[in-house]
Amino acid sequence: MNLIPVPLAINRFYEIVLYPQAGILGLAWQQPPSPSEYQRGTAALLEAVHQHHAKKLLSDNSRRGNPMPQDLVWMTHEVVPFLCDQAVQQLALVVPEDPSHARNLEGSLMTSKACYELQFFQCHQEALAWLSSSSGEVQE
């Protein structure tokens, strides 16, 4: 399947795209954000999840830098419950080769409240391929 992204939001910190033919919503960090920019970008993604009824998410953190401790706490207490309330089924994370980056994110995203399948990748295309290997569409 040739996936064509539809841009939903673009700024110097992040880009949010929708792959409507595969039902995938993607967030790609363009540079390390401040904690407030991180929350703004993640909130924009969560709004898009709600608006488009997305069940498959791709978060490309390869250029994001290591998350701050307050980002991880916010993710655990705000983001994970929201994803579960929205019945997200799959979450693909693209991370740098630094193993501590993946461990930090996994510790925040795989809480006892987590309700989705989580996979880590080092390549955006591999993450997209994993998410598109099962069917599902979102509303534009």
Side-chain angles (χ1 to χ4, degrees), residues 93 101-111 118 120:
L93 294 178
H101 193 278
R103 275 194 301 272
N104 287 337
L105 290 173
E106 184 175 34
S108 295
L109 292 168
M110 289 309 292
T111 69
L118 175 67
F120 289 91

Side-chain angles (χ1 to χ4, degrees), residues 12-79:
R12 67 187 182 124
F13 290 104
Y14 62 85
E15 178 176 323
I16 297 174
V17 298
L18 176 66
Y19 297 90
Q21 54 284 55
I24 299 169
L25 190 63
L27 167 68
W29 292 100
Q30 304 303 312
Q31 63 177 315
S34 67
S36 62
E37 284 297 335
Y38 172 72
Q39 285 193 9
R40 267 195 287 279
T42 303
L45 175 69
L46 298 181
E47 176 58 33
V49 166
H50 177 73
Q51 181 181 357
H52 297 282
H53 309 286
K55 305 300 179 206
K56 299 176 183 189
L57 304 180
L58 190 160
S59 180
D60 188 336
N61 298 278
S62 57
R63 289 185 257 168
R64 182 192 184 286
N66 280 315
M68 302 291 290
Q70 63 265 38
D71 297 341
L72 296 172
V73 169
W74 184 75
M75 195 180 317
T76 299
H77 295 287
E78 301 295 328
V79 176

Side-chain angles (χ1 to χ4, degrees), residues 75-129:
M75 195 180 317
T76 299
H77 295 287
E78 301 295 328
V79 176
V80 171
F82 183 88
L83 296 179
C84 292
D85 288 347
Q86 297 297 309
V88 168
Q89 298 167 353
Q90 293 178 296
L91 176 57
L93 294 178
V94 180
V95 295
E97 291 188 27
D98 175 9
S100 66
H101 193 278
R103 275 194 301 272
N104 287 337
L105 290 173
E106 184 175 34
S108 295
L109 292 168
M110 289 309 292
T111 69
S112 62
K113 297 181 191 306
C115 56
Y116 42 77
E117 187 177 1
L118 175 67
Q119 288 289 328
F120 289 91
F121 300 89
Q122 291 183 340
C123 170
H124 187 94
Q125 288 307 111
E126 289 175 4
L128 200 53

